[in-house]
Amino acid sequence: MQKTALITGSTSGIGKATAELFAHHGIDLILCGRRAERLEEVQSELKEKVKVMTLQFDVSDRDSVVNAINSIPEEWKKKLTVLINNAGNAHGLDSFQEASLDDFDSMIDSNVRGVLNVSKSVVPILIANGQGGHIVNLSSIAGKETYPKGSVYCATKHAVEAISKGMRMDLLSEGIKVTNIAPGAVETEFSLVRFKGDAHKADAVYQGFEPLRAVDIADAIYYAVSRPDHVQIADMTLLPKAQASGTIFNKKS
Ligand code: 8X3
């Protein structure tokens, strides 16, 4: 059956790489993001290969999410089978005593509320379609471990892990599969956002070893969604060869 996937945060990084790989494999796309221009760019890049529509919203804005997902035309809703909850970010890498509540709020809003807002709007569509479906949640090595200066980022990704497990239990009876994907260091705009545009600090994160690329995670996501119907990939953790935990790296200087 022809798949259609809704991808949040699809204008950059892992989300964009996933959109490109899905298009390559003939999966139609509902591209979601905050930045209209970037959405149009990705749409024009991929529309030669598959059907593409775009939705502009911020995952943390509940009303915008509801309105945007309600506005999906019926013929697209009927074909929607895959949700990729990719949008999310880290804001700051600071000790608990130095970090700001604004940064904590931003991470909770995008990484936790965002996943809930989008999933609560999309799940009824999947259920109404009656064909099962597949939800992929982007967690992190930070969802498996806690590291210094990452208390709340790690907390949000621990929440994603719990949400993935809980969704898998509750959606079992609907035939909807849930996959949790937990990457380690992936070279994207992630660190630039975490360090609030400080390119020097962001680049340093990925120096001295070969980090994962966005396409490596897209590859894992595609693997999960392309298994036979009876196979459910529950959880995948992907690290660079030079990473052993959230904080242990084999860096060459
Ligand atoms: C991003 C990876 O190692 O900064 O989720 O937590 S890490």
Side-chain angles (χ1 to χ4, degrees), residues 178-196:
V178 179
T179 298
N180 186 80
I181 297 211
V186 187
E187 189 168 18
T188 60
E189 290 172 16
F190 175 84
S191 287
L192 201 60
V193 175
R194 171 174 259 176
F195 295 116
K196 301 170 195 288

Side-chain angles (χ1 to χ4, degrees), residues 168-245:
R168 194 175 306 114
M169 294 168 191
D170 294 343
L171 296 171
L172 185 66
S173 55
E174 304 292 345
I176 296 172
K177 300 196 273 191
V178 179
T179 298
N180 186 80
I181 297 211
V186 187
E187 189 168 18
T188 60
E189 290 172 16
F190 175 84
S191 287
L192 201 60
V193 175
R194 171 174 259 176
F195 295 116
K196 301 170 195 288
D198 184 332
H200 186 70
K201 274 191 189 170
D203 290 347
V205 172
Y206 307 111
Q207 272 160 18
F209 73 108
E210 187 174 350
L212 294 170
R213 310 283 170 201
V215 71
D216 298 316
I217 310 307
D219 191 41
I221 295 169
Y222 180 69
Y223 175 79
V225 304
S226 60
R227 292 311 83 210
D229 187 52
H230 69 286
V231 178
Q232 175 169 222
I233 305 296
D235 196 73
M236 290 172 89
T237 301
L238 293 94
L239 301 175
K241 180 179 171 184
Q243 183 176 9
S245 79

